[in-house]
Amino acid sequence: MTAEYNMNLGTAVSVSVSEDRMSAFIQLAEPDLAQSITKAGLVELLKANRVVYGVKEEALSAFAVNPLSYVTTPLLIAQGAAPVAGADGYIDNFFSMERKDRRPAELGNGAVDFRELTQLDNAAKGQLIAQRVPATKGTPGIAVTGEPIPGKDGKEARFKQGKNVVVDAEKMKMYAVIDGLVTQTEKGKLNVFPVYEVNGDIDYHVGNIDFIGTVVVRGNVLSGFKIKAAGDIRITGGVEGAEIEADGSIDIASGIFAGNKGFVKAGVDVKARSYKKRTCSPGKTSSSAKASCIRTFEPAKAYYAGGPKD
């Protein structure tokens, strides 16, 4: 009797499973046998067709109550759980590689300083500059047939190592080998460069500079601006009433024309073609630059690397 009942139900109702095994459908195949359909019989029919996961109880009841509604349209009767792909790994750069929003610095009194624009990515020797975040594993899903469906693992990221950087043995962290500017070059390589170059004047388009290495300015430094460097400062043009300070040497190709403003201060020595109305302070002068910049010079005199001239 049971075998005959099951056989009749199998004839009355067709069961189909999607190719990805994530969905199962039932449809009334023989309307003349609709009265023989029960919810319990449908459950047994699904098991006979290996549909055991994600069965929709409300859909079963609806089909059993009114099977003639599903003569032409199949009913979704079971839904599997889709696998979840793992997240890709990535490199967490501790220095922004995007072009910074060049807004002037806001002062405490509410005013703004339009000279404070440049924000350099200074890194000290041994400083952590980037870290690798591992990919995560995928989460498996379950087919309507009860079988696990593997989830795709995330793709691991890899450091793109440039100049003057080192990666630890675990390939998890990147460090600066020298003091310098963190820079991303072609193909996403991370580098630390010891020299920061400005191809033009230090003006309101560039702003003040505070750099951990050597600064090269291929232009002039306009009045009111500041350059501070832990290394040397080399300026191919001239310096107006600006503040120039280096722990190393300062070399100004054209000269200093201060107008009683600013200062030039070096930890080693200062060289310039001429000095006018300038306060200069070298830490120590080399043999080639004795008396090159050791006091505030008189307005009427120009001073050279070898000393003053009328």
Side-chain angles (χ1 to χ4, degrees), residues 41-113:
L42 290 173
V43 172
E44 293 300 320
L45 179 64
L46 292 176
K47 288 181 180 179
N49 285 271
R50 298 176 57 205
V51 177
V52 295
Y53 178 84
V55 176
K56 297 177 178 292
E57 293 294 329
E58 291 184 2
L60 274 176
S61 299
F63 193 97
V65 170
N66 190 10
L68 292 174
S69 297
Y70 305 101
V71 175
T72 59
T73 304
L75 175 66
L76 177 66
I77 202 65
Q79 184 72 59
V84 178
D88 290 342
Y90 61 93
I91 303 300
D92 185 9
N93 294 322
F94 295 162
F95 295 85
S96 174
M97 296 296 106
E98 301 296 328
R99 183 178 177 85
K100 293 181 172 59
D101 187 5
R102 297 170 64 82
R103 294 182 179 178
E106 185 173 346
L107 305 179
N109 60 4
V112 293
D113 186 348

Side-chain angles (χ1 to χ4, degrees), residues 95-142:
F95 295 85
S96 174
M97 296 296 106
E98 301 296 328
R99 183 178 177 85
K100 293 181 172 59
D101 187 5
R102 297 170 64 82
R103 294 182 179 178
E106 185 173 346
L107 305 179
N109 60 4
V112 293
D113 186 348
F114 287 94
R115 296 182 181 89
E116 292 294 342
L117 291 174
T118 302
Q119 298 177 5
L120 300 181
D121 290 323
N122 288 307
K125 180 180 179 180
Q127 183 175 347
L128 179 66
I129 62 173
Q131 182 169 302
R132 184 172 69 86
V133 178
T136 60
K137 296 289 186 181
T139 302
I142 304 176

Side-chain angles (χ1 to χ4, degrees), residues 21 26 48 107 134 158 217 219 261:
R21 297 172 295 155
I26 56 175
L107 305 179
R158 296 287 182 267
V217 178
K261 295 180 181 179

